Amino acid sequence: MIQRALGEQLVRLAEWYPVVSVTGPRQSGKSTLVQAAFPGYRYVNLEQPAVRARALADPTGFVASLPARTIIDEAQYAPELFSAIQAKADERRANGQFVLSGSQNFLLLKSIKQSLAGRVGIAHLLPLSFREAHSFEPNTRPWDAMMRGSYPALHASNVPTGIFYENYIDTYVTRDVVGYLDVRNERDFRRFLTACATRAGNLLNLSDLSRDVGVSVPTIRSWVSILESSFVVRTLEPYYANISKRLTKTPKLYFYDTGLLCHLLGMDNAVALMESPYAGAVFENYVILEMLKSHYNGLRRPQTYFYRDDSKIEVDLVDVTDAARPLLCELKSGLTYRTSFARNLARVSESLGFRNPDLHVVYGGDGSFVDNDVRIDGIAEWLLR
């Protein structure tokens, strides 16, 4: 088993709350992790039709039949269970009773907020971080990891990436969207996925997507929403502060996994990625998602943004998760560091009123050093630190 950084945190949550919830993308390793973290728990999977039917037919009776410590996988399939889980948790008055996992973030959290508020510790498991992949395969290199992707099955087996991602799209991504939305033409939806891939790292323009895909703006908006709730894409909001300049208000679009992104862009090896016009976008996407994984693995709620004003002055990543030490980071895929990479960091930090900021540049080459109070890190050094 590939060791996951979140494992110890889940055990800690179970010491604090009667219910623990783990959400994340399909195939990110949730089922494997929760069973490894809680080996003495009964495991039930609501993706099995017979189990789900019993849960839906008699939610109270189903929960009453479960032992005091139970894992319920794909819990979003039976939202009727949550009130019964609340009642049972309150009756027993003990922590660590139920572990719920699911891949539909919106549906699972909606049920939690309605029935389990104050009783549940929430965690998010994303695909492997670079450090997790590197500990399992020490020869893993950053550009190879970007192209290959971070799903555990890709690292624990020899399945070719092209086959894996085609099956992933057909089995999970398209099925989830078809299951929750009225997608009449799967070909349009596949074209939409590819159109999103070509816009990764850029501002999300729903009208442009609508025109290119040939479906309405409301349809595009609903498709983006379900991809977000299924942990396929992630939007990054612009950072706002009380300054006089006009700031961009449109979010940027990223993928939770750059292997899926590269597959949709038609790249199947690291050399093709590095020579591609999309290299910068994939690099930026990868580093930002690695930062999110770091926060989620530490049970921190990420406060990550980008900055852009009407003068086109931009910083790729503004991370204020630690308010006492805000991070401003430029992400450059070039293999050679240039002083121009850092030119906006101090200016933007000052305009935002940050005190004691952490200024960084992450670039595609090797080596770490300091340049005029800016920390410069090659991609491998950054990811492993």
Side-chain angles (χ1 to χ4, degrees), residues 7-317:
E8 293 183 4
Q9 303 285 22
L10 294 182
V11 174
R12 192 167 291 123
L13 282 177
E15 295 171 353
W16 298 335
Y17 294 94
V19 181
V20 174
S21 167
V22 185
T23 64
R26 290 187 179 275
Q27 297 290 293
S28 63
K30 298 184 299 299
S31 300
T32 301
L33 176 61
V34 295
Q35 290 179 83
F38 303 102
Y41 281 52
R42 165 95 174 271
Y43 175 79
V44 296
N45 188 347
L46 296 186
E47 208 159 37
Q48 297 176 358
V51 177
R52 189 190 317 175
R54 286 193 290 113
L56 293 173
D58 181 10
T60 301
F62 182 82
V63 171
S65 71
L66 299 175
R69 297 180 181 273
T70 299
I71 297 166
I72 303 177
D73 207 352
E74 298 298 349
Q76 76 276 355
Y77 284 127
E80 296 86 351
L81 287 180
F82 285 71
S83 295
I85 290 172
Q86 172 204 328
K88 183 59 68 175
D90 291 347
E91 174 188 319
R92 291 171 176 160
R93 296 184 177 277
N95 291 336
Q97 298 179 45
F98 295 96
V99 177
L100 312 178
S101 68
S103 53
Q104 276 290 338
N105 187 43
F106 171 76
L107 295 172
L108 189 58
L109 292 184
K110 180 180 178 182
S111 298
I112 285 171
K113 289 178 181 178
Q114 289 174 344
S115 303
L116 295 173
R119 301 171 179 84
V120 60
I122 298 174
H124 302 281
L125 180 69
L126 300 188
L128 298 175
S129 69
F130 182 80
R131 290 184 65 173
E132 289 170 331
H134 191 269
S135 68
F136 184 70
E137 299 172 302
N139 294 326
T140 299
R141 296 178 297 181
W143 287 95
D144 290 324
M146 289 179 218
M147 189 282 304
R148 187 180 186 188
S150 303
Y151 288 101
L154 283 167
H155 295 260
S157 69
N158 294 319
V159 58
T161 56
I163 293 175
F164 176 86
Y165 283 111
E166 277 303 306
N167 286 330
Y168 189 84
I169 292 169
D170 291 340
T171 305
Y172 298 114
V173 179
T174 303
R175 188 187 70 177
D176 276 351
V177 174
V178 171
Y180 292 103
L181 297 172
D182 183 17
V183 179
R184 296 171 182 168
N185 191 332
E186 292 187 16
R187 194 178 309 168
D188 286 344
F189 180 71
R190 178 58 184 261
R191 191 159 57 245
F192 160 74
L193 279 176
T194 303
C196 286
T198 63
R199 290 163 170 79
N202 293 301
L203 298 178
L204 175 59
N205 189 317
L206 299 179
S207 296
D208 281 354
L209 278 171
S210 171
R211 184 180 59 252
D212 289 355
V213 179
V215 299
S216 69
V217 170
T219 296
I220 292 293
R221 184 179 290 110
S222 66
W223 287 359
V224 171
S225 176
I226 199 69
L227 288 185
E228 284 193 273
S229 71
S230 302
F231 293 93
V232 176
V233 301
R234 162 95 182 205
T235 54
L236 191 70
E237 297 292 332
Y239 185 82
Y240 297 105
N242 293 323
I243 57 177
S244 59
K245 294 179 181 178
R246 290 184 57 202
L247 300 176
T248 295
K249 297 181 180 179
T250 305
K252 294 173 76 172
L253 181 68
Y254 296 96
F255 277 69
Y256 273 99
D257 182 71
T258 54
L260 175 60
L261 173 58
C262 288
H263 178 74
L264 291 168
L265 293 172
M267 294 179 288
D268 61 1
N269 63 78
V271 173
L273 168 58
M274 296 174 74
E275 295 177 350
S276 165
Y278 296 108
V282 174
F283 181 91
E284 180 180 321
N285 194 135
Y286 189 77
V287 176
I288 287 174
L289 263 296
E290 285 293 301
M291 180 63 76
L292 292 180
K293 292 172 187 177
S294 175
H295 288 317
Y296 282 135
N297 287 341
L299 297 182
R300 297 182 296 271
R301 181 180 179 182
Q303 300 292 317
T304 52
Y305 308 89
F306 72 96
Y307 174 91
R308 179 184 289 181
D309 61 26
D310 61 348
S311 299
K312 303 300 187 214
I313 294 175
E314 183 172 357
V315 172
D316 295 320
L317 177 61

